[in-house]
């Protein structure tokens, strides 16, 4: 009897100690949970659950509730499913339990059991759009998977590590750099994140080599990365500003994500600084994306005034930051669920991820497109295999074709993300334009305006080589206007027909300087006469077009001769030739008071530009083709030099023709 009594005492003490220890674990877990450290909280709740007697069914069920919520937030779906089943087992289920369980079952591809639990959830939540969309998802997902799509998807192990790698973003004029976020061992800082259980994320990059092959990912050896989380970056159209998400840590305060900016000097990214979007300090701002024209910043936030948990918002960008207030994108993009990771295809289509629209499980990628009449936004689900039962997000596009990279945690039992490539062999018609100085080099500061009769109205920045590429639609009439400060505009009209394969139309935009004489190529006169030859008309018609496109410009039309013959005769001949050109332009409708003919004879020998010197190796830039200089050359070089001197040019005199009245008023 004595021994039995002692055993009972020991058992009671053991239960008491276990209960006391479990309560301590719960308190520690609650502390971690309050500041968003879900991984650390799950570790404590798991200990509390394990140390709770199986007979105490209610308490065990309540601790399973805490454990399930943590596992749900850190993408540990299988563990979350087990925890939700324990909640049901111990009769602690509430109206959300079956909904959460169904969502986790979707993420493992168990659509049949997910459908059953969504149906149970709808009984408790008959007005829940999330539950109804979830039920629709469970029914649609198997068919999406069976039907497939034209997308081809491949895991790209070149970029991936043994931890999470996500949110790829291409950059560079030739898309030859890939930036992405990673929690691999090479990140800064030594502590493990209480949120994920891994090291905090940094931004890494991979560069294409001379053969077009991606190289091993590298760290960014500047102050861009810190001991905090950095990730989900985007770039301004000129590639000089990086927008990124940063999440700092505080042992006693919840973590709120903020959007920061970093400026690039040469090839070096500077230290990031917070971008103040709102005075709201209790909301998160993350996942920045810049519209193709660079005028809007799109982002994810849980700020008040949204539709669901996380919504996609936007704010206008200015020279020195943001302008005005934020705008919620509203329906049909945002839902009662979470919408995040916005990004743009260069053609203007908005891609984003959502768990609120009907999908295959977790976050699915969706496409928001303007309807044909431009009045509405249509939401498109691109199907399987771009989407899967797991989280799929973070798209980036390699040029205008439907190909690039994205991230997904499909096939990873730990819920870690990895980078995948995608390709959809759709027919894409594009226009590539080259903007350069007439008789000179590319103009990287140029801007091209593109207008179409379908409502297209775009402002296109050119790359460093003066080029741009834009997607176009067959049957649409486009007008493209090449512009650059210090140069006359150049306009091109374009319409393309439908094709059976992708094709690119190439256009040239030679811009005439308003600061220096511009050569008019291929102007020919009868020998020793001022009569224009027929083969000159093509170039002169181009000049007529240029003057019509720039109606506020007046020009001096000048003709020049070589050094042969007397100065007086050459001057008379060149004057008559200049007048012949002006007469032709007037006959084509150009106002006479916009044209000033001048014959310079041999008074203004040609000054060689660098571009001409590249064509004729015996000449150097800034050489002046005087009689003395030409006579010092070889006979064949002399003839070439004389031909260069015999030329017709124009020079801009005014850019305000008919802009003001006689009193100087506009």
């Amino acid at each position: 009897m004595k021994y039995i009594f002692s055993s009972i005492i020991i058992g009671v003490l053991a239960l008491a100690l276990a209960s006391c220890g479990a309560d301590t674990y719960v308190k520690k877990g609650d502390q971690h949970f309050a500041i968003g450290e879900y991984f650390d909280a799950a570790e404590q709740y798991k200990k509390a659950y394990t140390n709770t007697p199986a007979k105490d069914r209610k308490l065990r069920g309540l601790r399973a509730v805490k454990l399930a919520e943590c596992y749900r937030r850190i993408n540990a779906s299988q563990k979350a499913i087990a925890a939700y089943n324990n909640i049901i087992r111990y009769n602690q289920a509430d109206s959300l339990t079956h909904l959460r369980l169904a969502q986790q079952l979707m993420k493992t591809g168990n659509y049949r059991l997910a459908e059953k639990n969504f149906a149970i959830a709808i009984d408790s939540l008959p007005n829940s759009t999330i539950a109804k969309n979830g039920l629709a998802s469970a029914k649609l997902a198997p068919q999406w998977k069976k039907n497939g799509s034209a997308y081809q998807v491949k895991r790209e192990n070149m970029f991936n590590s043994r931890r999470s790698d996500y949110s790829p973003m291409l950059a560079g004029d030739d898309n030859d750099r890939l930036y992405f976020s990673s929690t691999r061992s090479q990140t800064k800082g030594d502590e493990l994140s209480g949120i994920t259980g891994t090291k905090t994320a940094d931004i890494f990059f991979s560069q294409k080599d001379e053969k077009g092959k991606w190289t091993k990912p590298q760290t960014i050896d500047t102050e861009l990365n810190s001991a905090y989380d950095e990730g989900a970056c985007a770039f301004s159209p000129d590639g000089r500003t990086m927008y990124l998400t940063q999440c700092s840590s505080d042992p006693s305060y919840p973590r709120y994500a903020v959007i920061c900016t970093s400026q690039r000097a040469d090839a070096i990214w500077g230290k990031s600084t917070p971008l103040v979007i709102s005075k709201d300090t209790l909301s998160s701002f993350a996942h920045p994306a810049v519209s193709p024209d660079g005028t809007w910043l799109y982002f994810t936030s849980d700020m008040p005034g949204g539709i669901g948990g996380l919504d996609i918002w936007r704010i206008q960008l200015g020279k020195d930051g943001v302008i005005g207030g934020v705008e919620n994108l509203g329906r049909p993009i945002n839902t009662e669920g979470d919408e995040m990771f916005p990004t743009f295809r260069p053609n203007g289509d908005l891609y984003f991820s959502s768990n609120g629209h009907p999908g295959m499980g977790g976050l699915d990628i969706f496409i928001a497109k303007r309807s044909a009449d431009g009045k509405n936004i249509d939401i498109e689900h691109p199907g399987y295999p771009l989407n899967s039962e797991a989280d799929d997000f973070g798209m980036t596009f390699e040029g205008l074709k439907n190909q690039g990279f994205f991230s997904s945690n499909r096939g990873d039992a730990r819920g870690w993300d990895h980078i995948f490539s995608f390709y959809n062999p759709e027919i894409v018609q594009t226009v590539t334009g080259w903007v350069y100085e007439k008789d000179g080099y590319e103009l990287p500061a140029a801007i091209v305006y593109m207008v179409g009769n379908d409502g297209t109205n775009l402002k296109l920045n050119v790359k460093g080589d003066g080029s741009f590429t834009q997607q176009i639609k067959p049957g649409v009439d486009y007008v493209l206007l090449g512009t650059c400060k210090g140069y006359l505009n150049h306009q091109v009209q374009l319409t393309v027909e439908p094709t059976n394969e992708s094709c690119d139309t190439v256009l040239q935009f030679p811009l005439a300087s308003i600061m220096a004489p511009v050569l008019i190529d291929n102007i020919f006169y009868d020998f020793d006469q001022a009569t224009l030859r027929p083969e000159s008309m093509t170039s002169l018609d181009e000049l007529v077009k240029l003057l019509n496109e720039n109606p506020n410009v007046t020009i001096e039309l000048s003709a020049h001769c070589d050094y042969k013959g007397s100065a007086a005769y050459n001057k008379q001949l060149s004057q008559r030739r200049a007048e012949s050109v002006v007469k032709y332009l007037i006959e084509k409708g150009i106002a006479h008071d916009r044209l000033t003919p001048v014959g310079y004879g041999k008074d203004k020998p040609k000054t060689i530009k660098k571009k001409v010197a590249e064509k004729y190796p015996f000449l150097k830039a800034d050489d002046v083709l005087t009689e003395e200089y030409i006579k010092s050359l070889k006979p064949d070089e002399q003839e070439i030099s004389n031909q260069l001197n015999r030329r017709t040019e124009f020079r801009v005199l005014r850019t305000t023709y008919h802009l003001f009245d006689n009193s100087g008023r506009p």
Side-chain angles (χ1 to χ4, degrees), residues 432-436 490-492 506-510:
T432 296
W434 298 86
V435 188
Y436 54 93
H490 183 87
Q491 179 178 297
V492 178
V506 179
L507 302 177
Q508 304 290 332
F509 292 82

Side-chain angles (χ1 to χ4, degrees), residues 401-427:
K401 292 184 179 179
N402 198 348
Q403 65 184 42
F405 301 94
F406 72 107
S407 42
S408 175
N409 60 6
R410 63 184 71 183
D412 194 303
R414 297 158 299 185
W416 289 343
D417 305 308
H418 304 288
I419 294 173
F420 292 74
S421 63
F422 71 90
Y423 171 64
N424 188 331
E426 64 185 21
I427 297 174

Side-chain angles (χ1 to χ4, degrees), residues 298-301 303-308 310-315 326-340 350 352-354 356-357 366-370 376-379:
Y298 289 68
F299 60 93
T300 300
S301 180
M303 72 173 77
I307 297 174
L310 291 168
D311 278 12
I312 298 176
W313 303 68
R314 73 174 187 172
I315 191 169
V326 298
E327 298 178 13
N328 189 292
L329 295 196
R331 300 182 190 275
I333 292 174
N334 291 319
T335 69
E336 286 79 4
D338 294 325
E339 280 70 46
M340 53 185 84
L350 173 65
F352 65 97
S353 292
S354 170
H357 292 279
F366 292 87
I367 311 168
K369 298 181 178 181
R370 284 281 176 191
N376 301 304
I377 294 176
D378 297 327
I379 304 299

Side-chain angles (χ1 to χ4, degrees), residues 227-530:
Y228 301 138
D229 273 300
E230 281 87 22
C233 65
F235 300 93
S236 58
D238 63 7
R240 297 183 180 276
T241 302
M242 176 191 291
Y243 298 85
L244 63 146
T245 307
Q246 186 180 82
C247 187
S248 61
S249 60
D250 190 316
S252 60
Y253 199 72
R255 285 72 183 293
Y256 296 108
V258 297
I259 291 175
C260 299
T261 61
S262 172
Q263 303 300 320
R264 180 171 62 85
D266 294 327
I268 298 174
W269 291 105
K271 185 177 181 180
S272 65
T273 57
L275 178 68
V276 180
I277 293 175
S278 167
K279 294 181 180 179
D280 181 354
T281 59
L282 298 177
S283 299
S284 287
F285 301 85
H287 311 158
V290 182
S291 60
D293 62 3
T295 58
W296 291 93
L297 178 69
Y298 289 68
F299 60 93
T300 300
S301 180
D302 58 357
M303 72 173 77
I307 297 174
L310 291 168
D311 278 12
I312 298 176
W313 303 68
R314 73 174 187 172
I315 191 169
Q316 197 164 6
L317 288 171
K319 217 176 221 183
D320 302 312
V322 297
I323 303 172
V326 298
E327 298 178 13
N328 189 292
L329 295 196
R331 300 182 190 275
I333 292 174
N334 291 319
T335 69
E336 286 79 4
D338 294 325
E339 280 70 46
M340 53 185 84
F341 296 102
T343 191
F344 282 93
R345 189 174 171 183
N347 68 2
D349 290 344
L350 173 65
Y351 286 67
F352 65 97
S353 292
S354 170
N355 60 17
H357 292 279
M360 297 187 68
L363 291 171
D364 270 26
I365 294 167
F366 292 87
I367 311 168
K369 298 181 178 181
R370 284 281 176 191
S371 58
D373 59 10
K375 296 180 180 179
N376 301 304
I377 294 176
D378 297 327
I379 304 299
E380 177 184 322
H381 185 276
Y384 177 86
L386 186 65
N387 285 312
S388 68
E389 68 274 9
D391 289 331
D392 306 295
F393 62 98
M395 301 277 285
T396 186
F397 291 87
E398 191 170 358
L400 289 169
K401 292 184 179 179
N402 198 348
Q403 65 184 42
F405 301 94
F406 72 107
S407 42
S408 175
N409 60 6
R410 63 184 71 183
D412 194 303
R414 297 158 299 185
W416 289 343
D417 305 308
H418 304 288
I419 294 173
F420 292 74
S421 63
F422 71 90
Y423 171 64
N424 188 331
E426 64 185 21
I427 297 174
V428 178
Q429 291 184 258
T430 57
V431 57
T432 296
W434 298 86
V435 188
Y436 54 93
E437 180 180 6
K438 192 174 173 64
D439 301 322
Y441 294 91
E442 63 272 1
L443 295 171
I447 295 174
V448 177
Y449 295 91
M450 180 175 175
V451 178
N453 62 356
D454 64 338
T456 298
N457 191 349
L458 300 175
K459 176 183 176 183
L460 306 175
N461 294 289
V462 303
K463 302 176 185 177
D465 61 359
S467 71
F468 70 90
T469 302
Q470 180 62 38
Q471 187 170 346
I472 53 178
K473 300 175 184 176
V476 175
D477 297 328
Y478 294 100
V479 176
L480 296 94
L481 185 68
T483 68
C484 189
K485 187 176 181 180
Y487 295 85
L488 298 182
N489 299 335
H490 183 87
Q491 179 178 297
V492 178
Q493 297 182 3
L494 174 67
T495 304
V496 296
E497 298 299 322
T499 64
N500 295 322
E501 58 184 5
S502 296
C503 63
D504 184 46
T505 301
V506 179
L507 302 177
Q508 304 290 332
F509 292 82
L511 303 191
S513 172
I514 63 174
M515 306 298 292
V518 178
L519 176 69
I520 309 174
D521 286 320
N522 300 317
I523 300 298
F524 304 102
Y525 306 91
D526 288 338
F527 177 72
D528 207 24
Q529 301 292 323

Side-chain angles (χ1 to χ4, degrees), residues 555-612:
I555 64 169
E556 173 191 277
L557 201 297
S558 60
H560 303 261
C561 299
D562 56 30
Y563 68 83
K564 299 175 182 178
S566 69
Y569 179 80
N570 279 341
K571 202 153 196 174
Q572 291 174 2
L573 177 61
S574 62
Q575 180 66 35
R576 288 187 288 117
R577 286 179 170 178
E579 289 171 353
S580 292
V581 173
V582 166
K583 180 182 177 183
Y584 181 87
L585 298 178
I586 292 172
E587 290 173 352
K588 292 293 183 176
I590 305 300
H592 68 89
D593 56 347
R594 295 180 62 194
L595 308 169
T596 303
V598 178
Y600 284 104
K602 58 181 180 180
D603 292 347
K604 287 193 173 184
K606 185 177 181 67
T607 299
I608 298 301
K609 290 185 177 181
K610 186 177 179 181
K611 193 78 172 178
V612 176

Side-chain angles (χ1 to χ4, degrees), residues 561-567 570 602-606 623-634 637-638 641-642 645:
C561 299
D562 56 30
Y563 68 83
K564 299 175 182 178
S566 69
N570 279 341
K602 58 181 180 180
D603 292 347
K604 287 193 173 184
K606 185 177 181 67
D623 281 350
V624 181
L625 301 184
T626 61
E627 180 178 355
E628 180 182 4
Y629 177 86
I630 292 174
K631 287 182 175 179
S632 69
L633 301 174
K634 297 176 182 178
E637 296 172 350
Q638 289 186 31
S641 300
N642 282 325
N645 266 337

Side-chain angles (χ1 to χ4, degrees), residues 169-228:
M169 183 56 61
L170 286 160
D173 282 351
D174 299 315
N175 295 305
D176 56 358
R177 275 201 169 201
L178 183 72
Y179 292 83
F180 61 93
S181 304
S182 178
T183 60
R184 62 187 62 198
S185 59
Q186 293 89 347
T187 62
K188 290 185 177 180
D190 298 318
E191 296 184 3
L192 298 181
S193 168
I195 303 173
T196 62
T198 64
K199 295 185 71 174
T200 55
D202 278 353
I203 297 175
F204 289 75
F205 76 93
S206 175
Q207 179 87 37
K208 279 186 178 179
D209 62 19
E210 294 178 353
K211 296 181 180 179
K213 301 291 185 181
W214 291 105
T215 58
K216 183 179 178 181
Q218 307 173 47
T219 58
I220 298 178
D221 294 326
T222 68
E223 293 183 284
L224 174 69
N225 290 315
S226 69
Y228 301 138

